Structure formats: structure tokens, C-alpha cells
């Protein structure tokens, strides 16, 4: 209850450690190291909470983490059941950027690992390998062109890059 009045800023200048200690430990003698350790543990828990919340809110990312866990634990039957579900969610992502491409790369690499663990035929393995190569090119070119745009945009940058447009022309020919 004591901390609620300081939400959401939690200004450390206004929070009194002694008062917080008294709320937790009652009439015990104040020990600064004890309250410092509690605050440190609370900070670590808050950071973990924020990471977990971010993973759970990122539907494709949380699916990829789940698939990585299933592969690492060799739960292949659960992996293959979940793979199509995560891939379908990824297919619904409408904004094509390097993150979408990166997620496809992760998914295809996980499928490749699954197939190489003895769970697939050579043709399927070859098909996934081709998808990895194609998505790698898409990822590279997406990042490259995005950065070319940033570099060539003179209004946003003051850096003097040793960069010439022929690099851009070469990438366009690929």
C-alpha cells in the first residue's frame, strides 16, 4: 500500500527506505542492507516481468521461442504440431520488413534443424534449405536498401560516408 501512492514514477527522492522497511518488517530494527537487497531483487523481478510481457505480446516471437525450446529438448512431435501454427501467424504479418524476414529465417532454420535430426526426407530438407537461402537474400537486401536510403538521404545525416552510389547499383543488379 505504501508504494501505491508513488506509482507510476516511483521517485526515489520521495520514498523513505525506513518507512518501507517498517511496512515490511514491522518493529524490527532497520537494516539498510536488507532493504537494499530487497530493492535490488525487486528491480530484477521487474526487468524479468517486462521481458516476459514483451515476449508474450509478440505472438510470432513467443512462438519462435517456444519452437526453439521444443527443438532443444528434442520434443519433435510437439515441435511439428506447433510449427505450422507459428508459421501461419507469421504469414499474417502484413508489414514486410527485415524483422518479418528475420522471423522467417528463424522458422526455416528451426525446421531445417528438425529435419536434420532425422525427421525428414531429402526433398523436404532441400526445399527448406532453398527457402533459407531465398529469405537470407531478402533479409540482406531489405537491410541493405534501408541503410542505403538512410545514407543517401542528405537531409538526415551529417556524416561523410566513403560511400558511392555504385554500391547501390550493384545491389540492384542482384
Amino acid at each position: 500500500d505504501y508504494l501505491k501512492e508513488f506509482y507510476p514514477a516511483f521517485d526515489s527522492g520521495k520514498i523513505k527506505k525506513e518507512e518501507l522497511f517498517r511496512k515490511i518488517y514491522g518493529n524490527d530494527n532497520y537494516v539498510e542492507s536488507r532493504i537494499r537487497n530487497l530493492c535490488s531483487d525487486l528491480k530484477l523481478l521487474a526487468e524479468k516481468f517486462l521481458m516476459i510481457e514483451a515476449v508474450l505480446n509478440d505472438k510470432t516471437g513467443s512462438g519462435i521461442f517456444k519452437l526453439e525450446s521444443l527443438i532443444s529438448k528434442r520434443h519433435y512431435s510437439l515441435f511439428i504440431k506447433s510449427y505450422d501454427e507459428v508459421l501461419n501467424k507469421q504469414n499474417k504479418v502484413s508489414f514486410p520488413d527485415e524483422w518479418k524476414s528475420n522471423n522467417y529465417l528463424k522458422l526455416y532454420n528451426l525446421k531445417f534443424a528438425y529435419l536434420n535430426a532425422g525427421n525428414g526426407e531429402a526433398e523436404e530438407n532441400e526445399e527448406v534449405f532453398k527457402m533459407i537461402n531465398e529469405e537470407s537474400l531478402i533479409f540482406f537486401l531489405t537491410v541493405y536498401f534501408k541503410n542505403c536510403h538512410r545514407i543517401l538521404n542528405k537531409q538526415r545525416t551529417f556524416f561523410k560516408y566513403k560511400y558511392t552510389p555504385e554500391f547501390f547499383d550493384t545491389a540492384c543488379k542482384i
Side-chain angles (χ1 to χ4, degrees):
D1 289 337
Y2 173 71
L3 291 176
K4 281 183 182 177
E5 63 188 78
F6 301 105
Y7 175 82
F10 295 107
D11 183 3
S12 61
K14 294 180 181 176
I15 299 174
K16 300 196 180 335
K17 291 180 188 176
E18 294 84 2
E19 182 65 21
L20 184 58
F21 187 91
R22 192 179 64 71
K23 292 284 186 182
I24 296 170
Y25 296 107
N27 291 328
D28 287 2
N29 289 333
Y30 175 73
V31 179
E32 175 142 4
S33 62
R34 190 188 268 180
I35 199 71
R36 237 188 359 249
N37 288 339
L38 283 176
C39 289
S40 179
D41 290 347
L42 180 61
K43 178 184 171 282
L44 291 173
L45 286 172
E47 288 171 353
K48 285 181 182 180
F49 169 78
L50 291 173
M51 289 187 307
I52 290 168
E53 186 179 51
V55 167
L56 293 176
N57 288 333
D58 177 0
K59 299 302 179 201
T60 304
S62 61
I64 290 171
F65 283 126
K66 179 174 80 173
L67 291 173
E68 288 172 343
S69 298
L70 292 171
I71 280 285
S72 71
K73 301 294 184 193
R74 297 184 178 154
H75 294 300
Y76 299 124
S77 61
L78 292 173
F79 170 84
I80 203 61
K81 288 177 185 176
S82 298
Y83 180 82
D84 290 333
E85 175 188 320
V86 176
L87 187 61
N88 288 335
K89 284 181 185 175
Q90 176 64 20
N91 290 337
K92 292 177 183 174
V93 174
S94 60
F95 190 74
D97 63 1
E98 70 272 19
W99 297 109
K100 181 176 182 176
S101 189
N102 189 40
N103 284 340
Y104 275 124
L105 269 174
K106 288 178 182 179
L107 286 168
Y108 298 153
N109 276 307
L110 287 168
K111 179 81 177 260
F112 194 66
Y114 165 78
L115 294 171
N116 281 303
N119 300 302
E121 301 295 322
E123 297 83 22
E124 189 179 12
N125 215 341
E126 185 179 345
E127 185 61 34
V128 172
F129 189 67
K130 285 179 187 177
M131 291 166 34
I132 290 170
N133 288 336
E134 288 173 16
E135 205 60 49
S136 295
L137 282 172
I138 292 168
F139 175 75
F140 169 76
L141 290 173
T142 303
V143 171
Y144 181 76
F145 288 132
K146 190 177 204 176
N147 287 321
C148 283
H149 181 267
R150 289 178 181 154
I151 289 171
L152 295 174
N153 185 347
K154 300 292 186 200
Q155 294 171 343
R156 291 188 177 186
T157 182
F158 300 103
F159 300 111
K160 293 184 179 181
Y161 292 104
K162 293 179 181 171
Y163 180 86
T164 61
E166 69 228 20
F167 294 129
F168 186 79
D169 293 338
T170 303
C172 287
K173 291 175 188 173
I174 295 174

